[in-house]
Coordinates of all heavy atoms in Angstrom, one line a residue:
M1 N -35.8 -11.6 102.2 CA -36.0 -10.8 100.9 C -34.6 -10.6 100.3 O -33.7 -10.3 101.0 CB -36.7 -9.5 101.2 CG -36.9 -8.7 100.0 SD -38.0 -7.3 100.2 CE -36.8 -6.1 100.7
I2 N -34.6 -10.8 99.0 CA -33.4 -10.5 98.2 C -33.6 -9.2 97.4 O -34.6 -9.1 96.8 CB -33.1 -11.7 97.3 CG1 -32.9 -13.0 98.1 CG2 -31.9 -11.4 96.4 CD1 -32.8 -14.2 97.3
T3 N -32.6 -8.4 97.4 CA -32.7 -7.1 96.6 C -31.5 -7.1 95.6 O -30.4 -7.3 96.0 CB -32.6 -5.9 97.5 OG1 -33.6 -6.0 98.5 CG2 -32.8 -4.6 96.7
G4 N -31.8 -6.8 94.4 CA -30.8 -6.8 93.4 C -31.0 -5.7 92.4 O -31.9 -4.9 92.5
V5 N -30.0 -5.5 91.5 CA -30.1 -4.5 90.5 C -29.7 -5.1 89.1 O -29.0 -6.1 89.0 CB -29.1 -3.4 90.8 CG1 -29.5 -2.6 92.0 CG2 -27.7 -3.9 91.0
I6 N -30.3 -4.6 88.1 CA -29.9 -4.9 86.7 C -29.7 -3.6 86.0 O -30.3 -2.6 86.4 CB -30.9 -5.8 85.9 CG1 -32.3 -5.2 85.9 CG2 -30.9 -7.2 86.5 CD1 -33.2 -6.0 85.0
T7 N -29.0 -3.6 84.8 CA -28.9 -2.4 84.1 C -28.9 -2.6 82.6 O -28.4 -3.6 82.1 CB -27.6 -1.6 84.5 OG1 -27.7 -0.3 83.9 CG2 -26.4 -2.3 84.2
C8 N -29.6 -1.7 81.9 CA -29.6 -1.7 80.4 C -28.6 -0.7 80.0 O -28.8 0.5 80.2 CB -31.1 -1.4 80.0 SG -31.2 -1.5 78.2
I9 N -27.6 -1.2 79.3 CA -26.5 -0.3 78.8 C -26.6 -0.3 77.3 O -26.4 -1.3 76.6 CB -25.2 -0.9 79.2 CG1 -25.1 -1.0 80.7 CG2 -24.0 0.0 78.7 CD1 -23.9 -1.9 81.2
H10 N -27.0 0.9 76.8 CA -27.2 1.1 75.4 C -26.0 1.9 74.9 O -25.6 2.9 75.4 CB -28.5 1.9 75.1 CG -28.8 2.1 73.7 ND1 -28.4 3.2 73.0 CD2 -29.5 1.3 72.9 CE1 -28.9 3.0 71.7 NE2 -29.6 1.9 71.7
N11 N -25.3 1.3 73.9 CA -24.0 1.9 73.4 C -23.9 1.6 71.9 O -23.9 0.5 71.4 CB -22.8 1.3 74.1 CG -21.5 2.0 73.8 OD1 -21.5 3.2 73.7 ND2 -20.5 1.2 73.6
E12 N -23.8 2.7 71.1 CA -23.7 2.7 69.7 C -24.7 1.8 69.0 O -24.4 1.0 68.2 CB -22.2 2.3 69.3 CG -21.2 3.2 69.8 CD -19.7 2.8 69.5 OE1 -19.6 1.8 68.7 OE2 -18.8 3.5 70.0
G13 N -26.0 1.9 69.4 CA -27.1 1.2 68.9 C -27.2 -0.2 69.3 O -28.0 -1.0 68.7
K14 N -26.4 -0.6 70.3 CA -26.5 -2.0 70.8 C -26.8 -2.0 72.3 O -26.5 -1.1 73.0 CB -25.1 -2.7 70.5 CG -24.8 -2.8 69.1 CD -23.5 -3.4 68.8 CE -23.1 -3.5 67.4 NZ -21.8 -4.0 67.1
I15 N -27.3 -3.1 72.7 CA -27.6 -3.3 74.2 C -26.7 -4.4 74.7 O -26.6 -5.5 74.1 CB -29.0 -3.7 74.5 CG1 -29.9 -2.5 74.1 CG2 -29.2 -4.1 75.9 CD1 -31.4 -2.8 74.2
L16 N -26.0 -4.1 75.8 CA -25.0 -5.1 76.3 C -25.7 -6.2 77.1 O -26.5 -5.9 78.0 CB -24.0 -4.4 77.3 CG -23.0 -5.3 77.9 CD1 -22.0 -5.9 76.9 CD2 -22.2 -4.5 79.0
L17 N -25.5 -7.4 76.7 CA -26.0 -8.6 77.4 C -24.9 -9.5 77.9 O -23.8 -9.4 77.3 CB -26.9 -9.4 76.5 CG -28.2 -8.8 76.0 CD1 -28.9 -9.7 75.0 CD2 -29.1 -8.4 77.2
I18 N -25.1 -10.2 78.9 CA -24.1 -11.2 79.4 C -24.7 -12.6 79.3 O -25.9 -12.8 79.4 CB -23.6 -10.9 80.8 CG1 -24.8 -11.0 81.8 CG2 -22.9 -9.6 80.9 CD1 -24.4 -11.1 83.2
K19 N -23.9 -13.6 79.1 CA -24.4 -15.0 79.2 C -24.1 -15.5 80.6 O -22.9 -15.6 81.0 CB -23.7 -15.9 78.2 CG -24.3 -17.2 78.1 CD -24.1 -17.9 76.7 CE -24.9 -19.1 76.6 NZ -24.7 -19.9 75.4
R20 N -25.2 -15.8 81.3 CA -25.0 -16.3 82.7 C -24.4 -17.7 82.7 O -24.9 -18.5 82.0 CB -26.4 -16.3 83.3 CG -27.0 -14.8 83.6 CD -28.3 -14.9 84.2 NE -28.2 -15.7 85.4 CZ -29.0 -15.6 86.5 NH1 -29.9 -14.6 86.5 NH2 -29.0 -16.4 87.5
S21 N -23.5 -17.9 83.6 CA -22.8 -19.2 83.7 C -23.7 -20.2 84.4 O -23.6 -21.4 84.2 CB -21.5 -19.0 84.4 OG -21.7 -18.5 85.7
D22 N -24.6 -19.7 85.3 CA -25.5 -20.6 86.1 C -26.7 -21.2 85.3 O -27.0 -22.3 85.3 CB -25.9 -20.0 87.4 CG -26.7 -18.7 87.2 OD1 -26.7 -18.1 86.0 OD2 -27.3 -18.2 88.1
L23 N -27.3 -20.3 84.5 CA -28.5 -20.7 83.7 C -28.3 -20.9 82.2 O -29.2 -21.3 81.5 CB -29.6 -19.7 84.0 CG -30.1 -19.5 85.4 CD1 -31.1 -18.4 85.5 CD2 -30.7 -20.8 86.0
K24 N -27.1 -20.5 81.8 CA -26.8 -20.5 80.3 C -27.8 -19.7 79.5 O -28.1 -20.2 78.4 CB -26.7 -22.0 79.9 CG -25.8 -22.9 80.7 CD -24.4 -22.5 80.6 CE -23.5 -23.5 81.4 NZ -22.5 -22.9 82.1
I25 N -28.2 -18.6 80.0 CA -29.1 -17.7 79.2 C -28.4 -16.3 79.1 O -27.6 -16.0 79.9 CB -30.5 -17.6 79.9 CG1 -30.4 -17.0 81.3 CG2 -31.2 -18.9 79.9 CD1 -31.7 -16.6 81.9
W26 N -28.9 -15.5 78.1 CA -28.5 -14.2 78.0 C -29.3 -13.3 78.9 O -30.5 -13.5 79.0 CB -28.6 -13.7 76.5 CG -27.6 -14.4 75.7 CD1 -27.8 -15.5 74.9 CD2 -26.2 -14.1 75.5 NE1 -26.7 -15.9 74.3 CE2 -25.7 -15.1 74.6 CE3 -25.4 -13.1 76.0 CZ2 -24.3 -15.0 74.2 CZ3 -24.1 -13.1 75.6 CH2 -23.5 -14.0 74.7
S27 N -28.7 -12.3 79.5 CA -29.5 -11.4 80.4 C -28.8 -10.1 80.5 O -27.6 -9.9 80.1 CB -29.7 -12.0 81.8 OG -28.4 -12.1 82.5
L28 N -29.4 -9.1 81.1 CA -28.8 -7.8 81.4 C -27.9 -8.0 82.6 O -28.1 -8.8 83.4 CB -29.9 -6.8 81.8 CG -30.9 -6.4 80.7 CD1 -32.0 -5.5 81.3 CD2 -30.2 -5.7 79.6
P29 N -26.7 -7.3 82.6 CA -25.8 -7.4 83.7 C -26.5 -6.9 85.0 O -27.3 -6.0 85.0 CB -24.6 -6.5 83.4 CG -25.0 -5.8 82.1 CD -26.3 -6.3 81.6
G30 N -26.0 -7.5 86.1 CA -26.6 -7.1 87.4 C -26.3 -8.2 88.5 O -25.6 -9.2 88.2
G31 N -26.8 -8.0 89.7 CA -26.6 -9.0 90.7 C -27.2 -8.4 92.0 O -28.0 -7.4 92.1
M32 N -26.9 -9.1 93.1 CA -27.4 -8.7 94.4 C -26.7 -7.5 95.0 O -25.5 -7.3 94.8 CB -27.3 -9.9 95.4 CG -28.2 -11.0 94.9 SD -28.4 -12.4 96.2 CE -26.9 -12.5 97.0
I33 N -27.4 -6.7 95.8 CA -26.8 -5.6 96.5 C -26.3 -6.1 97.8 O -26.9 -6.8 98.6 CB -27.9 -4.6 96.7 CG1 -28.5 -4.0 95.4 CG2 -27.4 -3.4 97.6 CD1 -29.7 -3.1 95.5
K34 N -25.0 -5.7 98.1 CA -24.4 -6.1 99.4 C -25.0 -5.2 100.5 O -25.4 -4.1 100.2 CB -22.9 -5.9 99.3 CG -22.3 -6.9 98.3 CD -20.8 -6.7 98.3 CE -20.1 -7.7 97.4 NZ -18.7 -7.6 97.3
P35 N -24.9 -5.6 101.7 CA -25.3 -4.8 102.9 C -24.6 -3.5 102.9 O -23.4 -3.4 102.6 CB -24.9 -5.6 104.1 CG -24.8 -7.0 103.6 CD -24.4 -7.0 102.2
N36 N -25.4 -2.4 103.1 CA -24.9 -1.0 103.1 C -24.3 -0.5 101.8 O -23.6 0.5 101.8 CB -23.9 -0.8 104.2 CG -24.4 -1.2 105.6 OD1 -25.5 -0.8 105.9 ND2 -23.7 -1.9 106.4
E37 N -24.7 -1.2 100.7 CA -24.2 -0.7 99.4 C -25.4 0.0 98.7 O -26.5 -0.5 98.7 CB -23.8 -2.0 98.6 CG -23.2 -1.6 97.2 CD -22.7 -2.9 96.5 OE1 -23.4 -3.9 96.5 OE2 -21.6 -2.8 95.9
S38 N -25.1 1.1 98.0 CA -26.2 1.8 97.2 C -26.5 1.0 95.9 O -25.7 0.2 95.5 CB -25.7 3.2 96.9 OG -24.7 3.2 95.9
H39 N -27.6 1.3 95.4 CA -28.0 0.7 94.1 C -26.9 1.0 93.0 O -26.5 0.2 92.3 CB -29.3 1.2 93.6 CG -30.5 0.8 94.4 ND1 -31.8 1.1 94.2 CD2 -30.5 0.0 95.6 CE1 -32.6 0.6 95.0 NE2 -31.9 -0.1 95.9
Y40 N -26.5 2.3 93.0 CA -25.5 2.7 92.0 C -24.2 2.0 92.2 O -23.6 1.5 91.2 CB -25.3 4.2 92.1 CG -26.3 5.1 91.4 CD1 -27.6 4.7 91.2 CD2 -26.0 6.3 90.8 CE1 -28.6 5.4 90.5 CE2 -26.9 7.1 90.2 CZ -28.2 6.6 90.0 OH -29.1 7.4 89.3
D41 N -23.8 1.9 93.4 CA -22.5 1.2 93.7 C -22.6 -0.3 93.3 O -21.6 -0.8 92.8 CB -22.1 1.4 95.1 CG -21.6 2.8 95.5 OD1 -21.3 3.6 94.5 OD2 -21.6 3.1 96.7
A42 N -23.7 -0.9 93.5 CA -23.9 -2.3 93.2 C -23.9 -2.5 91.7 O -23.2 -3.4 91.2 CB -25.2 -2.8 93.8
I43 N -24.5 -1.6 90.9 CA -24.6 -1.7 89.5 C -23.1 -1.6 88.9 O -22.7 -2.4 88.1 CB -25.5 -0.7 88.8 CG1 -26.9 -0.9 89.2 CG2 -25.3 -0.6 87.3 CD1 -27.9 0.2 88.8
I44 N -22.4 -0.5 89.4 CA -21.1 -0.3 88.9 C -20.2 -1.5 89.2 O -19.4 -2.0 88.4 CB -20.5 1.0 89.6 CG1 -21.2 2.2 89.0 CG2 -19.0 1.1 89.4 CD1 -21.0 3.5 89.8
R45 N -20.2 -2.1 90.4 CA -19.4 -3.2 90.8 C -19.8 -4.5 90.0 O -18.9 -5.1 89.5 CB -19.6 -3.5 92.3 CG -18.9 -4.8 92.8 CD -19.2 -5.1 94.3 NE -20.7 -5.1 94.6 CZ -21.5 -6.1 94.3 NH1 -21.1 -7.2 93.6 NH2 -22.8 -6.1 94.7
E46 N -21.1 -4.7 89.9 CA -21.5 -5.9 89.1 C -21.1 -5.9 87.7 O -20.6 -6.9 87.1 CB -23.0 -6.1 89.3 CG -23.5 -6.6 90.6 CD -23.1 -8.0 90.9 OE1 -22.7 -8.8 90.0 OE2 -23.2 -8.5 92.1
V47 N -21.3 -4.7 87.0 CA -20.9 -4.6 85.6 C -19.4 -4.7 85.4 O -19.0 -5.4 84.5 CB -21.5 -3.3 85.0 CG1 -20.9 -3.1 83.6 CG2 -23.0 -3.3 85.0
L48 N -18.6 -4.1 86.3 CA -17.2 -4.2 86.2 C -16.8 -5.7 86.4 O -15.9 -6.2 85.7 CB -16.6 -3.3 87.3 CG -15.0 -3.2 87.2 CD1 -14.6 -2.6 85.9 CD2 -14.5 -2.3 88.3
E49 N -17.4 -6.4 87.4 CA -17.0 -7.8 87.6 C -17.4 -8.7 86.4 O -16.6 -9.6 86.0 CB -17.8 -8.4 88.8 CG -17.3 -7.8 90.1 CD -18.1 -8.3 91.3 OE1 -19.1 -9.0 91.1 OE2 -17.8 -7.9 92.5
E50 N -18.5 -8.4 85.8 CA -19.1 -9.3 84.8 C -18.5 -9.0 83.4 O -18.5 -9.8 82.5 CB -20.6 -9.2 84.7 CG -21.2 -9.8 86.0 CD -22.7 -9.6 86.1 OE1 -23.3 -9.0 85.3 OE2 -23.3 -10.1 87.2
T51 N -18.2 -7.7 83.1 CA -17.8 -7.3 81.7 C -16.5 -6.5 81.6 O -16.1 -6.3 80.5 CB -18.9 -6.4 81.1 OG1 -18.9 -5.1 81.8 CG2 -20.3 -7.0 81.2
N52 N -16.0 -6.1 82.7 CA -14.8 -5.3 82.7 C -15.0 -3.9 82.1 O -14.1 -3.2 81.7 CB -13.6 -5.9 82.0 CG -12.3 -5.4 82.4 OD1 -12.1 -5.0 83.6 ND2 -11.3 -5.4 81.6
A53 N -16.3 -3.5 82.1 CA -16.7 -2.1 81.6 C -17.0 -1.2 82.8 O -17.6 -1.6 83.8 CB -17.9 -2.2 80.7
Q54 N -16.6 0.0 82.7 CA -17.0 1.1 83.7 C -18.2 1.8 83.1 O -18.2 2.2 82.0 CB -15.8 2.0 83.9 CG -14.6 1.3 84.6 CD -13.5 2.3 84.8 OE1 -13.6 3.5 84.5 NE2 -12.4 1.8 85.2
I55 N -19.2 2.0 84.0 CA -20.4 2.6 83.5 C -20.8 3.7 84.4 O -20.3 3.9 85.5 CB -21.6 1.5 83.5 CG1 -21.8 1.0 84.9 CG2 -21.3 0.4 82.6 CD1 -23.2 0.4 85.1
V56 N -21.8 4.5 83.9 CA -22.4 5.6 84.7 C -23.9 5.3 84.8 O -24.6 5.4 83.8 CB -22.2 6.9 84.0 CG1 -22.9 8.0 84.8 CG2 -20.7 7.2 83.9
P57 N -24.4 4.9 86.0 CA -25.9 4.7 86.1 C -26.6 6.0 85.9 O -26.1 7.0 86.4 CB -26.0 4.1 87.5 CG -24.7 3.7 87.9 CD -23.7 4.5 87.2
Q58 N -27.7 6.0 85.2 CA -28.4 7.2 84.8 C -29.8 7.3 85.5 O -30.0 8.3 86.1 CB -28.5 7.4 83.3 CG -27.1 7.6 82.7 CD -27.2 7.6 81.2 OE1 -28.0 6.9 80.6 NE2 -26.2 8.3 80.6
E59 N -30.6 6.4 85.2 CA -32.0 6.6 85.7 C -32.7 5.2 86.0 O -32.4 4.3 85.3 CB -32.8 7.4 84.8 CG -33.1 6.8 83.4 CD -33.9 7.6 82.5 OE1 -35.1 7.8 82.7 OE2 -33.3 8.1 81.5
L60 N -33.5 5.2 87.0 CA -34.3 4.0 87.3 C -35.4 4.0 86.3 O -36.2 4.9 86.1 CB -34.8 4.2 88.7 CG -35.8 3.1 89.3 CD1 -35.0 1.8 89.5 CD2 -36.4 3.5 90.5
F61 N -35.6 2.8 85.7 CA -36.8 2.6 84.8 C -37.8 1.6 85.2 O -38.8 1.4 84.6 CB -36.3 2.5 83.3 CG -35.7 1.2 83.0 CD1 -36.5 0.0 82.7 CD2 -34.3 1.1 83.0 CE1 -35.9 -1.2 82.4 CE2 -33.7 -0.2 82.6 CZ -34.5 -1.3 82.3
G62 N -37.5 0.8 86.2 CA -38.4 -0.2 86.6 C -38.0 -0.8 88.0 O -36.9 -0.8 88.3
I63 N -39.1 -1.3 88.6 CA -38.9 -2.1 89.9 C -39.7 -3.3 89.7 O -40.9 -3.2 89.5 CB -39.3 -1.3 91.1 CG1 -38.5 0.0 91.3 CG2 -39.2 -2.2 92.4 CD1 -39.1 1.0 92.3
Y64 N -39.1 -4.4 89.8 CA -39.7 -5.7 89.6 C -39.7 -6.5 90.9 O -38.7 -6.7 91.5 CB -39.0 -6.5 88.5 CG -38.9 -5.7 87.2 CD1 -37.8 -4.9 86.9 CD2 -40.0 -5.7 86.4 CE1 -37.8 -4.2 85.8 CE2 -40.0 -4.9 85.2 CZ -38.9 -4.1 84.9 OH -38.8 -3.4 83.8
I65 N -40.9 -7.0 91.3 CA -41.1 -7.7 92.5 C -41.6 -9.1 92.2 O -42.6 -9.2 91.5 CB -42.0 -7.0 93.5 CG1 -41.5 -5.7 93.9 CG2 -42.2 -7.9 94.8 CD1 -42.4 -4.8 94.7
R66 N -40.9 -10.2 92.7 CA -41.3 -11.5 92.4 C -41.6 -12.2 93.8 O -40.7 -12.1 94.7 CB -40.2 -12.3 91.7 CG -40.6 -13.8 91.5 CD -39.5 -14.5 90.7 NE -38.3 -14.5 91.5 CZ -37.3 -15.3 91.3 NH1 -37.3 -16.2 90.3 NH2 -36.2 -15.3 92.1
T67 N -42.7 -12.7 93.9 CA -43.1 -13.4 95.2 C -43.5 -14.8 94.9 O -44.4 -15.1 94.1 CB -44.3 -12.7 95.9 OG1 -44.0 -11.3 96.0 CG2 -44.6 -13.3 97.2
I68 N -42.8 -15.7 95.5 CA -43.0 -17.1 95.4 C -43.0 -17.7 96.9 O -42.5 -17.0 97.8 CB -42.0 -17.9 94.5 CG1 -40.6 -17.7 95.0 CG2 -42.2 -17.5 93.1 CD1 -39.6 -18.4 94.2
P69 N -43.6 -18.8 97.1 CA -43.6 -19.3 98.5 C -42.2 -19.2 99.1 O -41.2 -19.7 98.6 CB -44.1 -20.8 98.3 CG -44.9 -20.7 97.1 CD -44.2 -19.8 96.2
F70 N -42.2 -18.6 100.3 CA -41.0 -18.5 101.1 C -39.9 -17.6 100.5 O -38.8 -17.6 101.0 CB -40.4 -19.9 101.5 CG -41.4 -20.8 102.0 CD1 -41.9 -21.9 101.2 CD2 -41.9 -20.7 103.3 CE1 -42.8 -22.8 101.7 CE2 -42.9 -21.5 103.8 CZ -43.3 -22.6 103.0
L71 N -40.2 -16.9 99.5 CA -39.2 -16.0 98.9 C -39.8 -14.8 98.2 O -40.8 -14.9 97.5 CB -38.3 -16.7 97.9 CG -37.3 -15.9 97.1 CD1 -36.2 -15.5 98.1 CD2 -36.7 -16.7 96.0
E72 N -39.2 -13.6 98.5 CA -39.6 -12.4 97.7 C -38.3 -11.7 97.3 O -37.4 -11.6 98.1 CB -40.5 -11.5 98.6 CG -40.9 -10.2 97.8 CD -41.8 -9.3 98.6 OE1 -43.0 -9.7 98.8 OE2 -41.3 -8.2 99.0
D73 N -38.3 -11.4 96.1 CA -37.1 -10.6 95.7 C -37.5 -9.4 94.9 O -38.6 -9.4 94.2 CB -36.0 -11.4 94.9 CG -36.5 -12.0 93.6 OD1 -37.5 -11.5 93.0 OD2 -35.9 -13.0 93.2
T74 N -36.7 -8.4 95.0 CA -37.0 -7.1 94.4 C -35.8 -6.7 93.5 O -34.6 -6.8 94.0 CB -37.3 -5.9 95.4 OG1 -38.4 -6.3 96.2 CG2 -37.6 -4.6 94.7
T75 N -36.0 -6.4 92.3 CA -34.9 -5.9 91.4 C -35.2 -4.6 90.9 O -36.3 -4.3 90.4 CB -34.8 -6.9 90.2 OG1 -34.6 -8.3 90.7 CG2 -33.7 -6.6 89.3
F76 N -34.2 -3.7 91.0 CA -34.3 -2.3 90.5 C -33.5 -2.3 89.2 O -32.3 -2.7 89.1 CB -33.6 -1.4 91.6 CG -34.4 -1.3 92.9 CD1 -34.2 -2.2 93.8 CD2 -35.4 -0.3 93.0 CE1 -34.9 -2.2 95.1 CE2 -36.1 -0.3 94.2 CZ -35.8 -1.2 95.2
A77 N -34.2 -1.8 88.2 CA -33.6 -1.7 86.8 C -33.3 -0.3 86.4 O -34.1 0.6 86.6 CB -34.6 -2.3 85.8
Y78 N -32.0 -0.1 86.0 CA -31.5 1.2 85.7 C -31.0 1.2 84.3 O -30.6 0.2 83.7 CB -30.3 1.6 86.6 CG -30.7 1.9 88.0 CD1 -30.9 1.0 89.0 CD2 -30.9 3.3 88.3 CE1 -31.3 1.3 90.2 CE2 -31.3 3.6 89.6 CZ -31.5 2.6 90.6 OH -31.8 3.0 91.8
K79 N -31.1 2.4 83.7 CA -30.4 2.7 82.4 C -29.0 3.2 82.7 O -28.9 4.0 83.7 CB -31.2 3.8 81.6 CG -30.6 4.2 80.3 CD -31.4 5.3 79.7 CE -30.7 5.8 78.5 NZ -31.4 7.0 77.9
S80 N -28.0 2.8 82.0 CA -26.7 3.2 82.2 C -26.0 3.5 80.9 O -26.4 3.0 79.8 CB -25.9 2.1 83.0 OG -26.4 1.9 84.2
S81 N -24.9 4.2 81.0 CA -24.0 4.4 79.8 C -22.6 4.0 80.1 O -22.2 3.9 81.2 CB -24.1 5.9 79.4 OG -23.5 6.7 80.4
I82 N -21.9 3.6 79.0 CA -20.5 3.2 79.1 C -19.6 4.4 79.4 O -19.7 5.4 78.7 CB -20.0 2.5 77.8 CG1 -20.8 1.2 77.5 CG2 -18.5 2.3 77.8 CD1 -20.4 0.1 78.4
K83 N -18.8 4.3 80.4 CA -17.8 5.3 80.7 C -16.5 4.9 80.1 O -15.8 5.7 79.5 CB -17.7 5.4 82.3 CG -16.7 6.4 82.8 CD -16.7 6.4 84.3 CE -15.8 7.4 84.9 NZ -15.8 7.3 86.4
K84 N -16.1 3.7 80.3 CA -14.8 3.2 79.8 C -15.0 1.7 79.6 O -15.6 1.0 80.5 CB -13.7 3.4 80.9 CG -12.4 3.8 80.3 CD -11.4 4.1 81.5 CE -10.3 4.8 81.0 NZ -9.3 5.0 82.1
S85 N -14.5 1.2 78.5 CA -14.7 -0.3 78.3 C -13.5 -0.9 77.6 O -12.8 -0.2 76.8 CB -15.9 -0.4 77.4 OG -16.1 -1.8 77.0
K86 N -13.3 -2.1 77.9 CA -12.3 -2.9 77.2 C -13.0 -4.1 76.5 O -12.5 -5.2 76.3 CB -11.2 -3.5 78.1 CG -10.4 -2.4 78.7 CD -9.3 -3.0 79.7 CE -8.5 -1.9 80.3 NZ -7.6 -2.3 81.2
L87 N -14.3 -3.9 76.1 CA -15.1 -4.9 75.4 C -14.6 -5.2 74.0 O -14.2 -4.3 73.3 CB -16.6 -4.5 75.4 CG -17.2 -4.3 76.8 CD1 -18.6 -3.8 76.6 CD2 -17.2 -5.6 77.5

């Protein structure tokens, strides 16, 4: 089972999206949770790695479970705000 996080960052009337290098599509920032890492720490780390923005995770708004043969993944979706950014 794979567990990940994504976050919706709303700032000044805009939503932050990233262009994924693997699939060449736009998506919310996020990624996999490392062993012994909290959801909040994973979101903060992933957004910093992907955008160089510091965020504050605020609230969980969804849990998405995908089940396909031989694989199940769960993604926790959070709302976040920008703390500091060089965007």
Side-chain angles (χ1 to χ4, degrees):
M1 182 171 83
I2 298 171
T3 305
V5 290
I6 58 172
T7 187
C8 182
I9 303 165
H10 186 267
N11 188 40
E12 297 180 7
K14 298 177 182 176
I15 294 175
L16 178 65
L17 296 175
I18 59 163
K19 187 156 189 185
R20 291 181 49 153
S21 59
D22 56 349
L23 301 173
K24 308 296 185 217
I25 62 170
W26 292 96
S27 69
L28 296 172
M32 293 193 327
I33 299 171
K34 293 181 178 181
N36 301 315
E37 185 177 42
S38 73
H39 293 180
Y40 277 31
D41 289 342
I43 293 170
I44 291 167
R45 175 184 52 76
E46 287 288 347
V47 171
L48 188 59
E49 289 174 0
E50 295 171 358
T51 70
N52 202 31
Q54 294 180 5
I55 62 160
V56 178
Q58 295 174 327
E59 63 181 290
L60 177 70
F61 70 83
I63 301 172
Y64 304 95
I65 300 170
R66 178 178 64 162
T67 304
I68 56 177
F70 309 107
L71 175 68
E72 179 177 289
D73 62 24
T74 304
T75 302
F76 294 86
Y78 285 85
K79 177 182 173 186
S80 298
S81 63
I82 295 284
K83 180 177 180 182
K84 218 178 198 183
S85 175
K86 294 182 182 176
L87 298 175

